[in-house]
Amino acid sequence: MSRRKEPSPERAGRASTAGDQRTAMGGAPGAADTSALAQAHGLLREAVVEIPRGGGSHESLARALALVCRHTGWACGEAWMPSEDDPDVLVTARFYAGERVTGFVDIRQRHRIDTSDDLPARCWRDGRAIVVPDVAQEPVGRFPRLDMARLYGLHTAVAVPAIGPDGPHAVLLFFSDRVRSVEPEILDAISAVGTLLSGITSCLRAAGIADVTHQRQTVLSEILALALRDKPLEDLLPEALRLVLSLPGLALRPMGAVFLADETGTELRMAAAENMPPGVRA
């Protein structure tokens, strides 16, 4: 079977100059489900290695868009983020597109978060994934690029928020060149990529750094890979803490601990500790 050749991430996932309901449509059980699961696993395995691979948050966005499109068959992807000159407006920060649909991406688009009814703004406000079965059938008020979508033959769309501890960072928006099902495994994998991106952004902001060195990237990849292990969270915390404390630039004898809240959210207990003073116990 012939396979359509996709442009490389370096060529297609380039920077712009300026980025309802959760629905699983159709799809019988069996081979299709297995394919969706394999695609999701392949995406996550590569994502935890490639997305943190050096550079800043915008470079991570470009790699994420390329990976999702290549692994799960979307024709193009966009990353929407608040504008640097107006945080209440979303703009296209990065995009990835096959050569046939590159012209669909319009970096001049701007959407006010509080008033726009287009996909990026709705997804940002709702804080959840939105699947549109066919954008070609949407009212122009809910999808301003309706004519362009019809011109380039784009149909199903999915918008996924990238939300971190300090709030939303971006909206990932993908379009298909056909009316397609969006299996729960695929939607969950894309959401996991959004979580990964928001984690990277939060780490960069907290550390006050603009990029990720090779050593930081290696440690971050190892921490993120822990999430794919089939173990309870508490069993993974000591190893994750040791990895964090191995980062360069920390104190001569770095120490740290991880605290978890109880079911009521009112009590904290130390779940993991490294190099803590004798009087502090897990």
Side-chain angles (χ1 to χ4, degrees):
M1 180 185 298
S2 63
R3 187 174 181 179
R4 183 176 62 187
K5 183 179 180 181
E6 293 288 352
S8 67
E10 291 74 21
R11 179 181 180 185
R14 57 192 181 277
S16 69
T17 57
D20 272 35
Q21 58 211 16
R22 172 171 172 162
T23 307
M25 300 169 290
D33 293 339
T34 302
S35 175
L37 189 59
Q39 289 178 354
H41 283 175
L43 169 59
L44 292 177
R45 279 195 300 269
E46 192 171 354
V48 296
V49 175
E50 291 297 319
I51 292 178
R53 182 175 51 81
S57 58
H58 280 206
E59 287 73 15
S60 296
L61 282 172
R63 285 192 291 272
L65 296 174
L67 286 172
V68 171
C69 289
R70 293 206 322 266
H71 277 277
T72 59
W74 297 93
C76 64
E78 303 169 349
W80 291 77
M81 299 181 71
S83 169
E84 292 183 359
D85 57 4
D86 187 347
D88 293 325
V89 172
L90 293 177
V91 297
T92 309
R94 288 290 189 274
F95 71 90
Y96 174 93
E99 291 182 347
R100 191 185 68 79
V101 296
T102 301
F104 170 75
V105 179
D106 185 355
I107 61 175
R108 297 168 299 178
Q109 289 279 316
R110 297 170 66 89
H111 300 295
R112 289 204 63 84
I113 294 173
D114 55 348
T115 59
S116 175
D117 203 27
D118 198 12
L119 264 175
R122 276 191 286 149
C123 183
W124 184 284
R125 289 196 304 267
D126 293 352
R128 62 184 177 89
I130 298 176
V131 176
V132 178
D134 189 355
V135 294
Q137 304 302 320
E138 286 284 284
V140 69
R142 289 171 67 86
F143 191 66
R145 288 183 288 172
L146 178 61
D147 290 341
M148 293 293 289
R150 289 173 174 170
L151 176 65
Y152 285 94
L154 297 176
H155 295 280
T156 300
V158 60
V160 175
I163 302 177
D166 50 350
H169 296 146
V171 169
L172 307 182
L173 180 58
F174 299 94
F175 295 91
S176 174
D177 54 7
R178 57 188 173 88
V179 176
R180 60 170 286 177
S181 62
V182 182
E183 296 86 353
E185 296 88 349
I186 297 297
L187 196 56
D188 287 344
I190 297 174
S191 296
V193 168
T195 300
L196 173 58
L197 285 167
S198 64
I200 292 172
T201 302
S202 295
C203 287
L204 293 175
R205 288 177 179 174
I209 55 178
D211 59 14
V212 182
T213 65
H214 175 73
Q215 189 172 2
R216 287 192 179 107
Q217 178 268 323
T218 300
V219 171
L220 185 55
S221 293
E222 291 179 6
I223 293 172
L224 295 170
L226 292 178
L228 297 181
R229 296 186 185 178
D230 187 19
K231 290 185 177 181
L233 172 63
E234 289 198 43
D235 293 347
L236 301 174
L237 289 177
E239 185 174 353
L241 181 59
R242 284 192 292 272
L243 287 168
V244 170
L245 294 177
S246 72
L247 285 168
L250 297 179
L252 183 61
R253 180 176 170 80
M255 62 183 67
V258 179
F259 292 84
L260 295 179
D262 64 7
E263 294 181 357
T264 66
T266 59
E267 296 288 338
L268 289 176
R269 62 181 177 83
M270 190 186 299
E274 190 77 14
N275 296 331
M276 296 297 288
V280 181
R281 297 180 180 178

